[in-house]
Amino acid sequence: MIPQPALEARQAPPRLAVLNGQSTGALVSRHARVATKLAAAEREVLVVSSLSGGPADPVSRFGPVDHANLARGVRYRMLVPDSARTTPGPARRLGKLAQAGAEIRTMPVVPVEALVVDGALAVLPGEQRDIAVLRLPSVIGTIIELVEHLWPAAVPLAPADPPATTELAGRDRELLALLSAGCTDESAAAALGVSVRTVRRMVAGLMNRLGARSRFQAGVKAAGHGWLAGRAS
């Protein structure tokens, strides 16, 4: 015969809590409670975030709890937009997390806002300024499946010094102009007065900053940022 407490646990519905954020005080409490759940992570934290920092984004305020988790061996996998690479604030925070061991990948647009802790708890945006905390296996499984589907195509963010500004350094701009004009690494190195190894290191840095898998893609993204405007002949 099944003990009564165990029977009641089986019959209990999956838990769902809503952290209300209607006032400044409640908003602080909401984020503190999310941080508490993060601090209890034992194996893995999955993050999918637009990094908007708005009510629909429950997970963009990375802080000490995340670094503490990484320091004690909790795996972090994060999907964020490509734009985070060239925006100083987010790029700085993500760079520090990557240096601490977080696995971060970017894609043009993230499809959801979600945080999953140990495959057992999900934090999702609710209505207005609320955040929903769920332990529904179907919802958590769907989020995990989505991350696994998107992960291979997303571009890894290599640990590197984050940009101090959204503007491109003069030498990097010159290099992009030379490469877009069809120069080889060797001719670009000669024009810049640096070694071929330095050119290739600069190219790798630009590709990482832009979230590009190829030089062609880097050129397209650089043009989209306006970095090739008024290029040298």
Side-chain angles (χ1 to χ4, degrees):
M1 182 174 180
I2 301 175
Q4 187 64 24
L7 182 62
E8 290 176 356
R10 283 189 181 184
Q11 294 175 342
R15 288 192 291 167
L16 183 154
V18 176
L19 307 186
N20 188 280
Q22 297 300 316
S23 66
T24 301
L27 194 62
V28 172
S29 175
R30 177 187 70 178
H31 290 303
R33 291 171 68 183
V34 171
T36 298
K37 297 182 185 304
L38 270 173
E42 297 179 353
R43 300 183 307 279
E44 182 180 62
V45 174
L46 294 179
V47 177
V48 185
S49 174
S50 67
L51 303 178
S52 66
D57 175 14
V59 295
S60 68
R61 290 170 172 80
F62 307 118
V65 64
D66 302 290
H67 287 275
N69 281 347
L70 287 164
R72 60 187 179 84
V74 177
R75 185 187 186 191
Y76 267 64
R77 287 197 293 160
M78 306 171 66
L79 278 174
V80 297
D82 288 338
S83 59
R85 294 173 178 266
T86 52
T87 306
R92 192 172 298 109
R93 294 195 299 272
L94 292 171
K96 289 180 179 179
L97 285 168
Q99 289 171 349
E103 300 170 49
I104 303 172
R105 297 195 175 194
T106 70
M107 56 190 301
V109 180
V110 295
V112 296
E113 305 281 352
L115 171 70
V116 177
V117 179
D118 290 337
L121 179 147
V123 180
L124 301 169
E127 295 186 7
Q128 296 180 347
R129 300 182 67 84
D130 292 338
I131 288 179
V133 180
L134 306 93
R135 295 183 184 273
L136 300 171
S138 59
V139 174
I140 295 169
T142 298
I143 297 169
I144 294 174
E145 185 178 348
L146 177 64
V147 172
E148 298 296 349
H149 175 72
L150 297 174
W151 191 256
V155 182
L157 175 69
D161 293 332
T165 174
T166 56
E167 294 299 317
L168 197 63
R171 178 160 288 189
D172 285 337
R173 190 180 296 276
E174 289 179 45
L175 175 59
L176 278 174
L178 290 166
L179 295 178
S180 66
C183 291
T184 63
D185 289 353
E186 289 75 14
S187 58
L192 294 173
V194 298
S195 68
V196 173
R197 178 179 295 181
T198 296
V199 164
R200 289 172 180 165
R201 177 179 54 77
M202 291 169 65
V203 170
L206 286 168
M207 289 176 64
N208 181 50
R209 184 172 176 184
L210 289 163
R213 288 188 179 273
S214 67
R215 293 189 176 202
F216 175 79
Q217 189 179 41
V220 171
K221 293 193 174 189
H225 282 289
W227 289 352
L228 295 179
R231 69 188 186 197
S233 59

